Amino acid sequence: MAIGSNSSNNSSSKVKGYFERISESKRDFRRRLAALPIAEKLRLLDSLRERMLAIRRGSNAVATRKTIVQETPSER
Amino acid sequence: MAIKEAIQIINRMEADGVIERYAIGGAVGATFYLEPVATLDVDVFIEFRAQPGSRLVSLEPIFTYLRDRGCTMEGEHIVIAGWPVQFLPANSNLLQEALVAAVEKSVEGTSARVFTAEHIAAIALQTGRAKDKARVLQFIEANAVDLGRVREILTRHGLNGNWQQFEQQFLK
């Protein structure tokens, strides 16, 4: 029992440590982005916007295709 | 860089007297202090002037000026250098104060006037949508605002309740 409990504690603290590292790494990345020269950050804004528009275009295309599929009469 | 080109055109509008003092706010304004925040448009706050002999304010001179320079309308935005820009009136005491206090920042030699971090945070608290509250949290986490100054601004504009609610929701 004690061994099982220790093993479970170890595994949960490993998982916790893993998530803490991810969290810290994200915070560090955000800090580094924030510290970039403003021109660089505005260039990133340009790219982010392009990406958002591409995703929207993609989502709209999928929605349109889905609608068409639903409207196609069954051949059976 | 498209957004820099948009800022240059807005600067030219100001120099040509089409708009009076302007300042960038919203997500683009916040990017001057934080990590880049994905956005689809640029919020430009301006002092609206009534037409001579009229008490009504009109955006028409702005649209005419920009249309003559090849810009197009897209809903309530005007597309400048590929970026939809929204010209918004500084129509509250808080926005007017933010416009007066706005600071000049240099973008590779191009001047851009931007709201201070504290005013962006105060305006976000006043607007109060989820994304605005997220922005205030970003400012606090990044230590990019002087919270004392934010509290002063909020007090001046009767927004202490907004702060208390935010504090209760996210900081306690």
Side-chain angles (χ1 to χ4, degrees):
Chain A
M1 282 291 279
I3 292 169
S5 170
N6 276 346
S7 154
S8 157
N9 282 346
N10 281 345
S11 139
S12 112
S13 79
K14 268 185 193 167
V15 170
K16 198 175 163 205
Y18 172 73
F19 284 124
E20 275 169 3
R21 280 197 303 280
I22 289 180
S23 217
E24 183 47 45
S25 145
K26 280 180 187 287
R27 267 195 298 272
D28 185 51
F29 182 58
R30 288 177 55 195
R31 271 195 294 267
R32 278 187 285 129
L33 282 177
L36 288 173
I38 185 59
E40 195 59 40
K41 290 201 276 184
L42 293 182
R43 259 189 284 275
L44 284 170
L45 269 194
D46 279 333
S47 315
L48 283 170
R49 180 167 176 271
E50 285 304 315
R51 205 177 291 182
M52 277 172 84
L53 288 173
I55 291 168
R56 280 195 177 191
R57 277 193 294 268
S59 311
N60 289 342
V62 168
T64 308
R65 272 204 302 276
K66 275 186 179 163
T67 308
I68 290 167
V69 168
Q70 281 164 2
E71 285 173 358
T72 305
S74 165
E75 289 176 1
R76 286 181 192 174
Chain B
M1 186 196 329
I3 200 159
K4 181 178 164 188
E5 203 184 320
I7 293 168
Q8 284 168 337
I9 293 171
I10 295 164
N11 282 341
R12 212 169 307 139
M13 288 172 71
E14 190 183 52
D16 289 344
V18 181
I19 53 172
E20 289 186 52
R21 187 177 174 83
Y22 82 88
I24 300 169
V28 176
T31 296
F32 280 77
Y33 304 98
L34 301 170
E35 74 268 24
V37 186
T39 183
L40 289 170
D41 60 6
V42 186
D43 291 338
V44 176
F45 291 85
I46 55 172
E47 188 77 56
F48 272 76
R49 231 185 334 190
Q51 293 295 299
S54 165
R55 287 163 65 189
L56 295 173
V57 291
S58 168
L59 283 167
E60 201 43 46
I62 296 173
F63 294 154
T64 305
Y65 179 94
L66 290 170
R67 266 198 304 259
D68 289 349
R69 282 153 186 81
C71 300
T72 54
M73 293 298 299
E74 200 176 84
E76 70 275 28
H77 297 90
I78 185 145
V79 182
I80 307 178
W83 270 89
V85 175
Q86 206 162 24
F87 288 95
L88 300 159
N91 59 1
S92 70
N93 289 340
L94 173 58
L95 287 172
Q96 275 172 16
E97 181 186 287
L99 195 54
V100 170
V103 288
E104 305 279 340
K105 303 267 185 187
S106 174
V107 182
E108 290 178 335
T110 294
S111 175
R113 195 176 303 113
V114 186
F115 282 162
T116 64
E118 288 75 18
H119 278 105
I120 293 177
I123 292 163
L125 278 170
Q126 183 183 43
T127 312
R129 296 164 301 182
K131 68 173 185 176
D132 299 302
K133 289 176 182 171
R135 186 170 298 154
V136 178
L137 276 175
Q138 277 180 289
F139 271 109
I140 294 171
E141 280 175 9
N143 213 9
V145 279
D146 176 339
L147 273 182
R149 274 201 64 206
V150 175
R151 297 294 306 275
E152 280 170 24
I153 294 169
L154 293 171
T155 304
R156 223 174 10 254
H157 297 282
L159 296 168
N160 276 327
N162 299 48
W163 171 258
Q164 279 157 10
Q165 194 190 16
F166 174 81
E167 198 177 33
Q168 193 69 38
Q169 253 182 312
F170 300 104
L171 305 179
K172 280 187 176 166

